[in-house]
Amino acid sequence: MNASAERRVVAGPAGAIECVVEEPAVAPRGVAVLCHPHPLHGGTMDNKVVQTLARALRQVGWRTVRFNFRGVGRSQGQWDAGRGEVDDALAVVAAVRDPALPLVLGGFSFGGYVAAQAARRVDPPAARLVLVAPATGNFDVGAVPDDTLVVHGDADDVVPLAATLAWARPQVLPVVVVPGVGHFFHGQLPLLKSIVVRAFAA
């Protein structure tokens, strides 16, 4: 972790939620809460894609908050098939949100599903969503705002690109497709970082 990282525990509906809050090098322009992949398949807040999202957003001035869903790491509780995990995300948002700053919600794979669901319930709404390989094949991600950043590899064998395009098509939602890249962006994390930096640098 960088020198400005703070480990924090916040109260959640199933008990304590373990978080890491990291500050940008400048005064923060907003707060980004990032959700990790599927807990039953080894997903944690230290997942490399989630950390890449966090680094990209900090580079363009966002305070980032990664956290472990219930039952992961030091977070209390048990897996709840996505329902309770959305509640966990909302509890983290409530604990770390700064009313003077905009909010970004983001997530990778299952975390993308959670972020999209949480975005429907946060008030005031999040300024933007960023979803990397969202779990469109296994969960009902639902509609998202038209400025949502969606990034997906065309060689994804966990969430097929076709599933995400089928989800995006009725929304006329653009998807950034990265050729030759699998679900975990092996070898292409710098490219993922640059895509997010460009999208949020404006």
Side-chain angles (χ1 to χ4, degrees):
M1 291 191 298
N2 64 43
S4 61
E6 175 197 354
R7 287 201 174 270
R8 189 182 301 181
V9 173
V10 304
I17 299 175
E18 180 185 18
C19 305
V20 171
V21 180
E22 294 174 284
E23 298 290 342
V26 296
R29 59 188 279 202
V31 179
V33 175
L34 305 173
C35 303
H36 70 70
H38 205 302
L40 299 188
H41 300 294
T44 76
M45 67 177 173
D46 293 324
N47 170 271
K48 289 182 179 179
V49 173
V50 177
Q51 290 196 59
T52 298
L53 273 176
R55 281 194 292 270
L57 288 163
R58 284 198 306 278
Q59 182 174 318
V60 291
W62 291 77
R63 174 185 298 141
T64 62
V65 183
R66 295 178 286 119
F67 69 97
N68 279 328
F69 291 124
R70 58 186 62 196
V72 178
R74 296 180 180 176
S75 292
Q76 296 175 329
Q78 295 179 325
W79 162 249
D80 192 34
R83 297 175 298 270
E85 288 74 15
V86 174
D87 292 338
D88 292 345
L90 291 168
V92 172
V93 168
V96 304
R97 189 171 198 175
D98 184 331
L101 296 173
L103 172 74
V104 160
L105 287 170
F108 166 49
S109 195
F110 169 76
Y113 157 75
V114 172
Q117 292 294 314
R120 288 191 178 81
R121 293 166 55 185
V122 294
D123 186 27
R128 200 167 184 196
L129 272 171
V130 52
L131 310 178
V132 178
T136 52
N138 300 324
F139 292 89
D140 180 11
V141 176
V144 295
D146 60 9
D147 63 348
T148 298
L149 174 63
V150 182
V151 186
H152 209 110
D154 78 346
D156 193 323
D157 60 353
V158 176
V159 181
L161 174 61
T164 288
L165 292 177
W167 161 76
R169 193 170 292 116
Q171 305 177 66
V172 196
L173 179 70
V175 176
V176 178
V177 177
V178 187
V181 170
H183 190 65
F184 295 96
F185 284 75
H186 291 310
Q188 295 296 337
L189 291 172
L191 175 57
L192 173 62
K193 181 183 175 188
S194 71
I195 290 169
V196 176
V197 165
R198 286 197 302 268
F200 281 84

